[in-house]
Amino acid sequence: MTLTDHLLARIAQDGPMSVADYMTECLLHPTQGYYSTRDPLGALGDFITAPEISQMFGELIGLSLAQAWIDQGHPNRFVLAELGPGRGTLMADILRATRSIEGFHDAADVTLLEASPILRQIQSDILNGYTPRWIETVADLPDAPLFVVANEFFDALPIRQFLRDGDGWRERLVGREGESLTYGLGAQASQVALMDRLDDTQDGDLVELCPSAIPIITVLAGRIATQGGAGLIVDYGDWHSLGDTLQAVRKHERADPLQAPGQADLTAHVDFEPLATATRAAGCAHTRLTPQGVFLERLGITARAQKLSATLGGVELDKLVSAHRRLTHPNEMGNLFKVLGLYPSYAAPPPGLES
């Protein structure tokens, strides 16, 4: 039975499912889910992330976190965590860039939150020698100051979609038409979580919610507020959700989210406003939402690129120039991706960001 068959049978038995349930099945089904069955990254996969584009990204992330550690009195034990670490490339670059910072590695408890058994094995190979630990949920994070990065993690969390209908909302659902999956709408109802959106939307507008993001950011912010540390949330999105941003990517091309479930990556733009609101509610400070390009330039990516270019030529130099542009240029990842920093109210913001 294919995943499509499974979904059609589930809908036939239980009725249409939310977009969130559909995403969960497509991404995390234990035997046919996208992340359960493959390494999705790189040229031979379906998409590429910033750490895979250039080592510069991870190096600068590492130095920002390390400076925050120093600014907070370099605690002699802390958790260095990554949520959704992909192949482990970002963490490997973080650890390489911070090798010379006295005491940093000795104090770091490297911790990875990863659902995919295939990616866990790749991470283990890449991080051989650093003895990372793997956890299932943020509640499993060790009890210590937390310095954490989440790069393209929140965009993969399941979303629910609601269409404005008068003073209420109709949830967008995934149902079946014959042997195909199709979208439909639930009955009109009020939504407590969307009461504040009646003032800035009109009939027909679509708004997305990511219910699972709030408990996660609340745990991270609570740990940082009470025990110290810093967080860097890097993802594509903006401050306020409006419109349909669900997308599927397969072989580096856009695809129909309802076609070939389990065979394409599904993501949605991150709405940073509720993340920031939950951070404040947990007693943690957060920075201004900052474009990735600005963040990296403040940390010195151009100087780092110039240093790396001194020993390069030809194709390798072209690759470096292209990587710098892709990470920072406003027309590429520079403006599409944003950075939200978390930090204790008594401390300075992570380097590269402003309060």
Side-chain angles (χ1 to χ4, degrees), residues 11 58 93 138 197 218 224 226 256-257 259 262 331:
I11 292 167
D93 289 340
V138 290
R197 299 307 306 271
T218 297
I224 291 169
T226 57
D256 183 339
Q259 293 295 319
N331 292 337

Side-chain angles (χ1 to χ4, degrees), residues 7 11 24 74 85 110 115 119 136 140 143 162-163 173 184 197 206 234 244 249:
L7 292 168
I11 292 167
T24 300
H74 39 75
V110 178
L119 290 177
E136 298 290 337
D140 300 325
D143 192 30
F162 295 90
L163 201 73
L173 303 172
R197 299 307 306 271
L206 188 144
V234 187
D244 178 10
V249 175

Side-chain angles (χ1 to χ4, degrees), residues 93-117:
D93 289 340
I94 288 172
L95 291 167
R96 187 186 64 257
T98 55
R99 267 190 311 222
S100 63
I101 298 175
E102 185 177 356
F104 188 79
H105 282 200
D106 291 338
D109 183 349
V110 178
T111 303
L112 307 174
L113 189 155
E114 178 58 66
S116 166

Side-chain angles (χ1 to χ4, degrees), residues 27-30 33-39 114-124 134 136:
L27 297 177
L28 298 176
H29 186 279
Y34 182 76
Y35 290 126
S36 307
T37 57
R38 75 200 65 223
D39 170 9
E114 178 58 66
S116 166
I118 292 176
L119 290 177
R120 282 191 179 198
Q121 184 56 58
I122 296 171
Q123 293 156 15
S124 178
W134 284 267
E136 298 290 337

Side-chain angles (χ1 to χ4, degrees), residues 58-70 75-85 88-101 103-114 123 127 129-135 138 140-150 220 223-224 227-232 350:
E59 290 171 348
L60 295 173
I61 291 282
L63 294 175
S64 177
L65 291 176
Q67 185 61 54
W69 173 74
I70 293 169
N76 58 16
R77 177 177 178 266
F78 70 95
V79 178
L80 179 61
E82 184 178 358
L83 310 187
T89 304
L90 174 55
M91 183 57 74
D93 289 340
I94 288 172
L95 291 167
R96 187 186 64 257
T98 55
R99 267 190 311 222
S100 63
I101 298 175
F104 188 79
H105 282 200
D106 291 338
D109 183 349
V110 178
T111 303
L112 307 174
L113 189 155
E114 178 58 66
Q123 293 156 15
L127 296 171
Y130 290 109
T131 61
R133 77 168 79 193
W134 284 267
I135 58 174
V138 290
D140 300 325
L141 284 164
D143 192 30
L146 174 64
F147 293 79
V148 59
V149 59
L220 301 181
R223 292 289 186 93
I224 291 169
Q227 299 189 52
L232 296 173

